[in-house]
Amino acid sequence: MIKNYLKMLAIGSFVLTSCSQDETLETSVEMNLTATANTESTNLDVLETPALFTHNDFKFKISSLVEPTSCATTPFNDVINASVSGNIDALGAQYYDIYTQIAQLYTFIDTDSQYFGADGEYTNYVNNRTRSLEKFWDMSNLITVRGQHNATLNDRDKIASVYLNFSTLTEAQAYGNADFFLAVNEASTFLNESPLLSFDGFASSADLIVIGDGLVQLASEAGVEDKIVWSGILAHEWAHQIQFDNTAVWYPNGAADNAPEATRFTELEADFFAAFYMTHKRGATFNWKRVEEFNELFFNIGDCQFTSPGHHGTPAQRMRAAEAGYDFAKSLQKNGKLLSADEVHESFLQYLNTTILTAPINPPANNSQVRR
């Protein structure tokens, strides 16, 4: 019941240039790709994502964009919109989905030494935070944390390896596709420069957490300190790993009897766990102002899709879940006691109906997003 949790970002659709300009662009690009791409290039969209690898949290898809209605935009909306409209082109619109699929799938087979940040500038910080989470939750050497990078999409061998691992293409066909995409990179102003190509953060029940450079970059541009972003995402996704490990005991009959409520339950619990760790005396030791800053950014985009399998809870509910996790951590401040995941889970259940779900849960009259 924890699978397939999808964070839908409500941002405006992009607008391309005039039709005549697009036609000229597409004609020149088509000629360039025909001349450049390997003749072994075959069907590009043949990748299959195993069911084990479908636990997405902040996945962004151009094809899923919807125009905001009554919900006010947030700084996060603004920077995402700016990133889309700043240099989107016809090729970016056409190949965005397959590019992000390749970038995501590569993280499952990546055996390179891991780095975080486009230039590895956050590697030490993320490694230290990972060790802190391992100690805090008594989970040493159980979870693999990997970075997602735009650079993958400009690496011939890495692109080909995705096709070789997640499709039935031959080696010649896989490398033909890789050559095709390298030619697309040369022709497009959007691919592969956009941070939206590594705008990903997810936990897989294959004991894997992935955080993309683009997600952290855009969150930082929206005004949240970069290290808080890394800590917040990592702590939230780590909570999902704890849920995976305790599914049989915590949710023997599923987290709820319907997908939207089950996803909301597990997401609110992950928010609670993350805030608990981020503020605990033996965790990240952030004060509420810094935790609230992170939560405002990611949770107040708004989610009133009450019938959606990916419903994460309303902004008010998610903020209250984080506040409850913070309050619970502060209540232990004197002795700095470390609790088991079971004990934190039981505390979340107590807060859920007494504090968290007292936030409005009914959709507004126009079934749009709530305003905060």
Side-chain angles (χ1 to χ4, degrees), residues 286-329:
F286 291 147
N287 60 34
W288 172 245
K289 181 179 180 181
R290 303 182 85 194
V291 175
E292 183 181 35
E293 185 179 87
F294 171 82
N295 293 339
E296 287 281 355
L297 177 68
F298 282 98
F299 303 161
N300 286 358
I301 293 172
D303 175 9
C304 289
Q305 306 304 315
F306 292 88
T307 61
S308 169
H311 176 48
H312 277 46
T314 67
Q317 289 167 349
R318 298 197 70 183
M319 182 59 73
R320 289 193 182 192
E323 289 174 343
Y326 168 82
D327 289 341
F328 184 47

Side-chain angles (χ1 to χ4, degrees), residues 102-110 146-149 202 208 210:
I102 291 170
Q104 183 181 80
L105 288 176
Y106 182 73
T107 64
F108 294 108
I109 58 175
D110 184 4
R146 290 179 182 155
Q148 187 185 80
H149 315 286
F202 64 90
L208 175 67
V210 172

Side-chain angles (χ1 to χ4, degrees), residues 261 264-265 347-359:
E261 187 176 353
R264 181 184 70 177
F265 181 96
S347 295
F348 168 73
L349 295 179
Q350 295 175 19
Y351 277 100
L352 182 64
N353 292 317
T354 60
T355 304
I356 299 169
L357 292 185
T358 57

Side-chain angles (χ1 to χ4, degrees), residues 29 34 68 88 93 131 165 167 173 198 224 295 333 361:
V29 166
T34 301
I88 186 69
R131 286 191 290 269
N165 280 276
S167 78
Q173 291 170 328
S198 54
V224 180
N295 293 339
Q333 187 171 11
I361 61 174

